[in-house]
Amino acid sequence: MDWTHPMLRAIAVAQSARAHGNHPFGAVLVAGDGRVVLEAENTVVTHRDATGHAETNLVRLASNQMDRDELAAATLVTSCEPCAMCSGAIYWSGIGAVVYGLAETALLEMTGTHPENPTLALPSRDVFAAGSRRVGVTGPMLEEQAAAVHAGFWG
């Protein structure tokens, strides 16, 4: 499948998160038939919830609206590589695959030691590889576009 359209949508959702006063991260869920069925933005700041990452917000929505077979056939497309927390949530939800834009290593280069992004240097592939079920991972892709939404944000 060509992930360009869903990735551009995830990046647009990240821009929306930034416009709403949150960190610039966005995610969409693509059903097994290729349709974007859900989307979520980061809400860490506005909801005062450290777990309000775009991916965890999307996992919550998807888990409440879809059955296990639908989740297994779905792909979570996210503007940035999922952190360890989000990777764990994706794993436990049963979502079958992840596609990400900006790599966590590239994000760390942009944010440095910014206190609002205390990055764990643990790639999503490593988190998923530690599990007993396979989660497909594709990325990074469209890194320039995914990075653009962070320009000037992290000071």
Side-chain angles (χ1 to χ4, degrees):
M1 176 168 169
D2 180 5
W3 295 108
T4 303
H5 173 72
M7 181 58 67
L8 291 173
R9 183 65 204 142
I11 293 167
V13 174
Q15 184 62 51
S16 177
R18 182 174 178 167
H20 290 130
N22 289 293
H23 303 146
F25 300 98
V28 301
L29 193 70
V30 178
D33 64 6
R35 292 177 301 119
V36 172
V37 294
L38 293 170
E39 60 184 48
E41 59 187 54
N42 180 289
T43 58
V44 167
V45 176
T46 56
H47 289 182
R48 298 180 60 165
D49 178 1
T51 67
H53 293 194
E55 299 91 344
T56 54
N57 288 339
L58 188 61
V59 164
R60 284 185 200 102
L61 286 171
S63 295
N64 284 318
Q65 296 181 29
M66 301 170 75
D67 65 34
R68 294 292 278 178
D69 289 339
E70 290 172 314
L71 291 170
T75 300
L76 190 148
V77 179
T78 181
S79 62
C80 220
E81 182 175 6
C83 71
M85 175 185 70
C86 292
S87 295
I90 292 163
Y91 176 82
W92 286 108
S93 75
I95 291 171
V98 171
V99 176
Y100 68 86
L102 187 65
E104 183 73 12
T105 52
L107 177 65
L108 181 57
E109 287 177 22
M110 296 177 77
T111 64
T113 60
H114 195 287
E116 291 186 32
N117 190 49
T119 299
L120 292 170
L122 185 58
S124 60
R125 282 179 174 86
D126 292 351
V127 175
F128 297 133
S132 61
R133 76 170 184 87
R134 184 182 179 284
V135 178
V137 180
T138 302
M141 67 172 291
L142 302 180
E143 281 194 288
E144 284 186 33
Q145 293 96 320
V149 72
H150 293 269
F153 182 83
W154 302 101

